[in-house]
Amino acid sequence: MDWLYGAIAARPKWIIATLAAAALVCSGITYNYLKLDADTDSLIGENQPFLQDWRRFIRDFGDLEYVIAVVDPRGDIPAADRAVRALCERLATLKSVAKVCGSIDAQDQWRLAPRAMSDDKLAGLADAADALSILAARPALAQLLQAGDARVKILLDEGTKMNAATQQSTAASAFMLLGTAASGQPNAATLPLATALPTRWLSNEGGALRLVLVMPKKNYQSLAVVDESLLHMRAVIGDIQKQEPTVEIGLTGKPVLQADEMETTSSDMNTASIVALLLCAILFMFVFRGVKRPLLAVAAFLAGAALTYAAATLLIGSLNLLSVVFMLVLVGVGLDYGIHMIARYIEGLRHMDTAASVRHMMRTAAPSMLAGAAVSAGTFLIAIVVPMQGLRELGMISGVGLLLCAATMAIGLPALLLCFDRRSANDSKQLSFFASGNVIAQTRSSAPRNRLRIGVVISLLAMVAGVLIAWRQVGFESNLLKLQAADLSSVSWQRRLQTEGGNSTWFGAVITDSFEAIAPLVEKAKLQPLIRNARSVLDFVQSDSPQRARWRAEIAGANQSAAMRDAASGEVNTSTLVELAQRASERVESLANGANTANAPAQDIAVIRNLALSLRALTSALETDEKTAHLRANQSIELAGFAAQQLQIGAGLSLRDSLPPAVRDSFMSADNQFAILLHPQEDIWEPGAMAPFVAAMRTVDPTVTGAPITVFESMRIMKDSFLWQGIMASMFVLTLLYVDFRSVKLTLIAFLSLLAGLGWTVGMMGVLHIPFTLANFFAIPIMIGLGIDSAIHITHRVLEGGLTHGFGSTRRAVIVTAITTTIGFGTLLFAQHTGLRGLGEVMTIASVCCLISSVWLLPSLLRLAGCDTMAWQH
């Protein structure tokens, strides 16, 4: 330390300039090259098999994590229809939106029909393929009547000579043409083709809520992944809500939940940071009797922070959602180094000038600070070997950052003090919280050893009790919804989707390359009581066969010009229309009589007679009100023509292209893979339901993927990673303590004080019913780092004779650092985000417990162990 002091004292300005230049260069590197990765999957690691399966699914089927606009009709169905239609139209115009799906319209339904209808209906449609071609051309009523009548005449004249297939085809075409002509008239049957299909709205499983699926453009290079899209979406929803006040509209879905969580945590962190900064500033002004020295410590810290950002850029290249909080670690631990250094510096100023006080600081505070930094950094760097990528990166950046902050504090702070805080010995202005006479004159405690033993025994029994209480009372809360702010709209809508129709937003995906394999997998899933339903393309289409493929080919390939060869053209008058309708009616009646004579099935005869009655109704309507009857006929022809056209198009499409766009990507990939989506019976936001559901899905297919798999496996890896980091960090701390103290006794005592603080902490968590969560698990390495850092400073002071001559400024510096940590995390106690509030609760308890274990239990243990006679060993 004397050599280091000599090097710094020889060129303090050069050192300051070098650190400032390095900080500026590092800031430039960070600004230009450091990226943000807001993809939650990046927290786990690309080498995990389950995540590779999920990535492969997203690559093949696309991103299915939609923003969900939910419309609650609240009894007003027409208003809900208008609201959904307006949402689809308005949202589709937003530049920040890639895709909007809210319904399956008539076009999609007709195009799907050739694959969805039964074999009998598809065969009948194929028989009437030439009629479909005529209808698709939107013929005039007269053309339709003449074309249909011509086919009936052929049946009457040549029907007995036809083979069954030709007879069936001719009859099907005739009935379709004439049935369409008569549709829509009073007392006439309406052909299905001439019926307007209602729009099918997407809804939750219970059908009570309308859903609009919106795919925003996602920017994972920013923490605000979909914020711009959500801002515009919510503006649109606000406008439509005003137009339709009788319905209720909201947003939810994983992207919204994550964005709202990020916004809530950012707001909470900003508020907490400002409050903590003000409180810490007041504290620093009190303990340091000014602001200059704290500012010098902050300047040295900022240089270390700049170097850390550059190190993160060079070592990793990006910050993920977990590693982005490494500054919290640096502020919580790194700034404490400066407090300990300046405390010893001020202690020296009471009797020495600036140069000698800096030397005193380097001899006394720097070794403890560097040892503490090495241990704290090690607890984070240990995370390099854990399986969770986010924790590995956080550990690497935080560990390297603590070492860099310790280095800049050990080199930069002395240089800054030498240049900007020149003082002479016995300067009365230098007395402060750390240099008051009663601190320097502190003597050995006169407390009897028996009383100390009783206190120590009680403390250690409290540690054991805390561990036992924690074992029984402190669980792990993995329900991510419970970490959110309770009053978030997206959370309440997510809960409503769960309670009013099942967990439709959660699904596992079984992938198969074979269409024939879908049905057995669906049946296998139905045997699992924890699987609510299994959705697949079979919900929309029939199982295929070569015969069905031939029927679709006939429908798609019908020749329109040939089909129209018997149709009349040109304008006709009313009397001609009446004559055409009457003649067609009479011929159809004759056909029915012939069928009756031939003992045809009664059902077939009834169909023929009903067609004759419909044609008579058309004739009567034309005679009564030709204009109205013609208008009805044209409407039916237009509807049937649209349906026929879409049926022909759909029959020629591939299976994937025939599926409605709203569901296409969910069930079939562009390379013809099929997905079976498995939905849970229970609320799998709750941890007790997640594991059994995952097990049930893996019974169907061991390679199943999906959000439940990634969440389940991710939480398992997170818990294992934090647990292993805690165990390995403890072993590392023991090792480094022995290297520092060169004494088994001192090592075990210091480590025992750390365990006591941690035991009290988890015991208090059990008493207060505070569970571990994915948010406050992060506190474990910080607790270890803070606790052992304070223990090292106290133990080093003991080796200087602290138990005999007093702890001087060291104990008070430990108190101040604990207070600053408590302030920093304690402000989170008022956070809206439940997870952050839990982190504040745990860290506040841990700070107080580790403080007590360091400033009272540790000295007591050292005194009872006879360490008051030990000398400085380094």
Side-chain angles (χ1 to χ4, degrees):
M1 290 296 106
D2 284 345
W3 176 87
L4 180 59
Y5 166 75
I8 295 170
R11 298 179 179 83
K13 294 181 180 179
W14 182 88
I15 289 175
I16 294 172
T18 301
L19 281 177
L24 288 175
V25 171
C26 289
S27 299
I29 292 173
T30 302
Y31 180 81
N32 288 294
Y33 300 106
L34 184 62
K35 299 178 180 179
L36 290 173
D37 182 2
D39 188 351
T40 53
D41 292 336
S42 297
L43 297 177
I44 307 304
E46 297 294 338
N47 60 334
Q48 298 295 333
F50 71 88
L51 189 58
Q52 292 174 354
D53 292 340
W54 177 240
R55 294 285 197 191
R56 192 158 39 248
F57 174 80
I58 293 176
R59 181 194 66 209
D60 294 338
F61 289 84
D63 186 356
L64 299 183
E65 293 182 342
Y66 290 95
V67 169
I68 304 174
V70 188
V71 178
D72 185 353
R74 296 199 296 186
D76 193 343
I77 301 301
D81 293 347
R82 293 193 300 270
V84 172
R85 188 174 290 107
L87 279 171
C88 293
E89 293 173 355
R90 293 275 304 274
L91 293 176
T93 63
L94 298 179
K95 294 181 179 179
S96 56
V97 169
K99 179 182 178 182
V100 179
C101 301
S103 64
I104 301 177
D105 59 20
Q107 173 178 292
D108 295 333
Q109 294 177 54
W110 284 122
R111 290 187 177 186
L112 178 64
R115 290 185 180 271
M117 62 179 54
S118 65
D119 287 358
D120 290 342
K121 290 183 178 180
L122 184 60
L125 202 63
D127 288 337
D130 65 334
L132 289 175
S133 294
I134 293 175
L135 290 173
R138 283 30 171 224
L141 177 59
Q143 293 175 307
L144 203 58
L145 288 169
Q146 190 166 0
D149 182 57
R151 284 159 177 76
V152 175
K153 185 175 184 300
I154 292 174
L155 288 172
L156 290 172
D157 296 343
E158 306 174 16
T160 56
K161 303 175 184 179
M162 293 179 179
N163 59 45
T166 304
Q167 189 181 68
Q168 178 66 25
S169 176
T170 305
S173 296
F175 291 0
M176 182 176 287
L177 295 172
L178 294 176
T180 300
S183 291
Q185 304 300 334
N187 302 318
T190 300
L191 205 67
L193 281 183
T195 303
L197 293 181
T199 298
R200 303 285 298 274
W201 305 107
L202 300 186
S203 66
N204 67 330
E205 188 177 333
L209 303 174
R210 303 283 175 82
L211 307 179
V212 178
L213 306 182
V214 187
M215 182 54 66
K217 294 179 180 178
K218 300 178 181 179
N219 177 20
Y220 289 113
Q221 301 300 312
S222 167
L223 292 180
V225 179
V226 294
D227 283 12
E228 181 183 358
S229 297
L230 292 182
L231 182 65
H232 296 152
M233 288 182 208
R234 283 173 168 145
V236 169
I237 287 175
D239 292 342
I240 296 174
Q241 183 72 80
K242 292 178 182 178
Q243 298 169 9
E244 305 293 347
T246 59
V247 303
E248 189 177 1
I249 311 174
L251 282 181
T252 189
K254 183 178 177 181
V256 187
L257 291 170
Q258 289 181 339
D260 285 352
E261 182 175 34
M262 186 65 70
E263 181 180 356
T264 304
T265 54
S266 297
S267 174
D268 288 339
M269 288 296 291
N270 289 338
T271 302
S273 298
I274 293 172
V275 174
L277 181 62
L278 291 175
L279 292 177
C280 286
I282 295 172
L283 177 66
F284 284 168
M285 284 188 287
F286 170 72
V287 299
F288 290 114
R289 303 292 194 267
V291 296
K292 179 195 292 186
R293 294 177 191 126
L295 287 178
L296 294 179
V298 170
F301 167 78
L302 290 177
L307 294 176
T308 304
Y309 271 104
T313 306
L314 298 175
L315 292 174
I316 298 174
S318 63
L319 296 177
N320 58 47
L321 291 173
L322 187 56
S323 63
V324 74
V325 301
F326 78 89
M327 273 300 293
L328 190 62
V329 177
L330 297 190
V331 173
V333 182
L335 272 177
D336 291 350
Y337 302 155
I339 293 175
H340 284 287
M341 296 278 283
I342 291 183
R344 286 299 188 104
Y345 169 71
I346 294 176
E347 182 181 274
L349 281 178
R350 191 170 185 273
H351 301 290
M352 298 175 282
D353 61 12
T354 295
S357 297
V358 171
R359 181 192 293 272
H360 171 73
M361 176 185 74
M362 294 294 291
R363 284 184 169 186
T364 56
S368 301
M369 183 265 292
L370 292 174
V375 176
S376 298
T379 61
F380 284 97
L381 290 172
I382 285 293
I384 294 175
V385 300
V386 302
M388 181 182 171
Q389 179 173 312
L391 187 57
R392 287 201 305 269
E393 294 181 1
L394 173 62
M396 179 181 293
I397 297 172
S398 298
V400 171
L402 290 176
L403 293 176
L404 290 172
C405 286
T408 57
M409 204 66 73
I411 298 172
L413 183 57
L416 289 167
L417 290 171
L418 288 171
C419 287
F420 300 105
D421 196 52
R422 286 288 180 181
R423 301 285 180 176
S424 61
N426 296 315
D427 189 336
S428 60
K429 296 181 180 180
Q430 301 309 311
L431 288 178
S432 74
F433 179 81
F434 297 106
S436 59
N438 66 318
V439 174
I440 299 302
Q442 183 179 358
T443 60
R444 177 177 174 173
S445 171
S446 60
R449 285 183 179 269
N450 287 338
R451 188 181 299 175
L452 282 179
R453 287 192 186 95
I454 294 173
V456 167
V457 170
I458 293 174
S459 299
L460 296 181
L461 288 176
M463 174 191 73
V464 175
V467 173
L468 293 176
I469 291 172
W471 184 264
R472 296 176 60 87
Q473 300 292 334
V474 179
F476 183 83
E477 179 56 74
S478 58
N479 188 331
L480 301 180
L481 280 184
K482 291 184 179 180
L483 301 184
Q484 297 269 31
D487 58 348
L488 279 180
S489 172
S490 56
V491 174
S492 63
W493 279 107
Q494 181 66 37
R495 295 193 185 281
R496 288 182 62 177
L497 283 179
Q498 293 172 211
T499 57
E500 298 183 28
N503 295 282
S504 55
T505 58
W506 282 97
F507 65 85
V510 175
I511 312 302
T512 178
D513 296 327
S514 169
F515 182 86
E516 290 73 21
I518 298 175
L521 287 169
V522 170
E523 292 302 317
K524 196 173 180 180
K526 290 179 179 179
L527 298 176
Q528 298 296 323
L530 294 178
I531 297 178
R532 187 184 186 96
N533 54 40
R535 299 170 57 219
S536 69
V537 292
L538 294 183
D539 294 339
F540 303 92
V541 304
Q542 298 283 334
S543 296
D544 209 8
S545 66
Q547 181 60 61
R548 288 181 65 89
R550 285 193 291 271
W551 287 331
R552 289 196 303 271
E554 291 176 16
I555 295 170
N559 190 313
Q560 179 177 314
S561 59
M564 288 289 290
R565 65 181 181 274
D566 297 321
S569 60
E571 294 294 331
V572 295
N573 55 38
T574 304
S575 60
T576 304
L577 283 175
V578 172
E579 291 171 1
L580 287 173
Q582 188 171 6
R583 185 175 65 192
S585 171
E586 292 170 352
R587 283 180 173 166
V588 170
E589 187 66 36
S590 298
L591 190 63
N593 294 332
N596 187 44
T597 302
N599 294 319
Q603 184 178 359
D604 293 346
I605 296 172
V607 170
I608 300 172
R609 292 198 185 281
N610 285 335
L611 177 59
L613 291 174
S614 294
L615 288 170
R616 288 177 189 170
L618 172 62
T619 303
S620 175
L622 287 170
E623 291 174 336
T624 302
D625 187 348
E626 179 271 337
K627 184 176 181 180
T628 302
H630 212 159
L631 180 62
R632 292 195 189 103
N634 286 339
Q635 289 174 342
S636 296
I637 292 170
E638 178 59 34
L639 288 172
F642 173 79
Q645 183 182 43
Q646 300 308 317
L647 283 167
Q648 287 186 312
I649 294 173
L653 294 175
S654 66
L655 172 57
R656 173 177 163 79
D657 291 336
S658 66
L659 293 172
V663 299
R664 180 181 300 152
D665 292 334
S666 299
F667 300 107
M668 191 171 178
S669 68
D671 60 352
N672 296 322
Q673 293 188 86
F674 301 94
I676 300 123
L677 305 187
L678 310 178
H679 295 271
Q681 181 69 37
E682 306 294 336
D683 177 11
I684 61 172
W685 285 102
E686 295 296 336
M690 176 75 79
F693 176 60
V694 169
M697 291 195 297
R698 285 174 170 165
T699 301
V700 178
D701 184 356
T703 64
V704 65
T705 187
I709 301 293
T710 59
V711 171
F712 174 76
E713 293 292 347
S714 298
M715 288 191 296
R716 181 184 60 79
I717 288 177
M718 287 179 187
K719 288 188 285 187
D720 291 347
S721 296
F722 279 113
L723 179 61
W724 278 108
Q725 186 189 13
I727 294 173
M728 291 185 292
S730 299
M731 297 173 62
F732 175 81
V733 166
L734 273 171
T735 303
L736 213 60
L737 286 178
Y738 179 76
V739 171
D740 183 21
F741 298 147
R742 315 285 175 84
S743 167
V744 174
K745 180 193 293 187
L746 291 178
T747 297
L748 294 178
I749 291 174
F751 191 70
L752 181 60
S753 72
L754 170 64
L755 292 181
L758 296 180
W760 300 340
T761 298
V762 295
M764 289 298 298
M765 290 175 63
V767 171
L768 299 175
H769 303 289
I770 302 172
F772 278 115
T773 68
L774 294 178
N776 64 24
F777 237 164
F778 169 67
I780 292 178
I782 301 180
M783 288 159 55
I784 295 174
L786 289 175
I788 204 61
D789 186 69
S790 298
I792 289 173
H793 282 285
I794 291 292
T795 306
H796 275 208
R797 190 70 185 215
V798 167
L799 293 176
E800 295 180 54
L803 292 175
T804 303
H805 305 294
F807 286 93
S809 63
T810 302
R811 178 178 279 172
R812 293 200 174 188
V814 169
I815 294 173
V816 171
T817 57
I819 293 174
T820 58
T821 302
T822 303
I823 290 173
F825 287 98
T827 52
L828 295 176
L829 293 173
F830 305 99
Q832 294 182 353
H833 188 271
T834 307
L836 279 183
R837 189 162 61 249
L839 175 62
E841 292 168 347
V842 173
M843 284 305 303
T844 300
I845 295 171
S847 298
V848 175
C849 290
C850 289
L851 171 62
I852 296 173
S853 70
S854 297
V855 302
W856 182 83
L857 179 61
L858 178 58
S860 299
L861 287 170
L862 291 169
R863 187 183 304 280
L864 291 175
C867 297
D868 48 349
T869 60
M870 297 181 67
W872 182 255
Q873 299 295 318
H874 292 274

